[in-house]
Amino acid sequence: MSKTTTTIRLIAAAAVAAIMAACGNHQKGDGGNSGDNSRQTAVMSPFVRINIDSTMALVSIRDNATEKKMPNRLFYGKGDSAEVEKLSPEGSVPSSVSCFIIETQGKRALFDTGVGKANGGVLMDRLKSLGIKPESIDYIFITHFHNDHTGGLTDNGKAAFSRAQLYVPEAEYAYWAGAGGKGSTAIKAVGAYGNRLHRFGYGDKLPLGVKPMAAPGHTPGHTVYIAGRVMIMGDLFHGLPLQIQDLNLCADYDMDRTKAIESRNKYTLMAVHNGMMAAGMHFFGTGMVDFKMNERDMEHKSFEHNLPKR
């Protein structure tokens, strides 16, 4: 085992212990009919806004209206079922469908758009609760073209965000444009933005200093975005409490397992070493993990206490 792999495994072990400890503070009830809603609140925070620094705020928004879990079998692969069951004895892993907004330089950038209202998504309703109008979104950045990330781009075939400039990875666009019927829905959705659609390469400069970074595996053009101290991880993780214990576990949704593992290891280590706030589209709870490294250990911080006033 390489030194890098050993380091990542140690980081992962520390992270999962902290995640479980943070969740334990909310798990007095079972989320059922006990009358204690603390666990459900921890899992289903509808939106969270935090200040990253004096120039940037990050808003996490749940697109799923009800609790979401990933069954263990989605992570079995060809030979990982025993390990998955050992690491996830409850039989499923808490998850989500989340979108994120970065507010900086007087602008708003939305990362991914959820499944769309027609498919049960509640992004628009929650934007309204936050006092954010769709026309106030200046930029949209898409991590990849799966429907739970592009479904909210349109409403009845028209662009749902009337002013937004839409940025998509050229590698992702090219793959799905050539995939025939499988990619037609996403290609049509991004096409609704007309001349506001921008297909970028990884060396291109994007608005607000957002840096796109290739993270293939989940899909061929899957992309991670970095803005200041924030890393938008997209679908590097589908079941964080499980996969953080072994970064080599993949969900069935990953198209190329080898590349997905490489990307997950690479960006998790990068986030930890650089003390970055990681935001994942399928992270549970707040949707955000604050990775910090000091000389002795890594600390995970929960932001459940920063729920905004409604």
Side-chain angles (χ1 to χ4, degrees), residues 97-118:
V97 176
S98 295
C99 309
F100 299 91
I101 292 176
I102 282 180
E103 298 174 338
T104 188
Q105 302 177 33
K107 304 290 186 179
R108 286 191 175 117
L110 173 65
F111 294 81
D112 287 350
T113 63
V115 301
K117 188 173 182 179

Side-chain angles (χ1 to χ4, degrees), residues 23-41:
C23 291
N25 294 332
H26 299 276
Q27 291 182 346
K28 295 180 181 178
D30 61 5
N33 298 320
S34 66
D36 185 327
N37 293 322
S38 57
R39 181 177 183 273
Q40 185 174 0
T41 299

Side-chain angles (χ1 to χ4, degrees), residues 175-188:
Y175 174 81
W176 292 106
K182 292 191 298 182
S184 61
T185 300
I187 295 299
K188 185 176 180 180

Side-chain angles (χ1 to χ4, degrees), residues 93 105 151 199 207 221 270 293 298:
V93 189
Q105 302 177 33
R199 293 151 54 180
M270 181 185 295
M293 175 74 76
M298 185 273 290

Side-chain angles (χ1 to χ4, degrees), residues 47-50 57-63 96-103 108-114 123 127 130 132 137 139-141 143 149 230-235 277-289:
F47 39 73
V48 181
R49 185 183 189 280
I50 64 169
L58 176 64
V59 184
S60 170
I61 305 171
R62 292 248 169 252
D63 188 50
S96 72
V97 176
S98 295
C99 309
F100 299 91
I101 292 176
I102 282 180
E103 298 174 338
R108 286 191 175 117
L110 173 65
F111 294 81
D112 287 350
T113 63
L123 172 63
L127 287 176
L130 284 163
I132 297 175
I137 300 296
Y139 307 104
I140 300 173
F141 299 96
T143 61
H149 301 261
V230 176
M231 179 185 288
I232 306 292
M233 282 189 158
D235 279 14
M277 172 74 72
M281 276 57 186
H282 298 298
F283 287 9
F284 71 110
T286 63
M288 299 178 285
V289 175

Side-chain angles (χ1 to χ4, degrees), residues 106-109 134-140 163-166:
K107 304 290 186 179
R108 286 191 175 117
E135 58 267 29
S136 74
I137 300 296
D138 298 285
Y139 307 104
I140 300 173
R163 291 184 52 257
Q165 301 290 322
L166 174 62

Side-chain angles (χ1 to χ4, degrees), residues 159-173:
F161 300 90
S162 60
R163 291 184 52 257
Q165 301 290 322
L166 174 62
Y167 288 81
V168 304
E170 173 61 38
E172 187 74 354
Y173 185 97

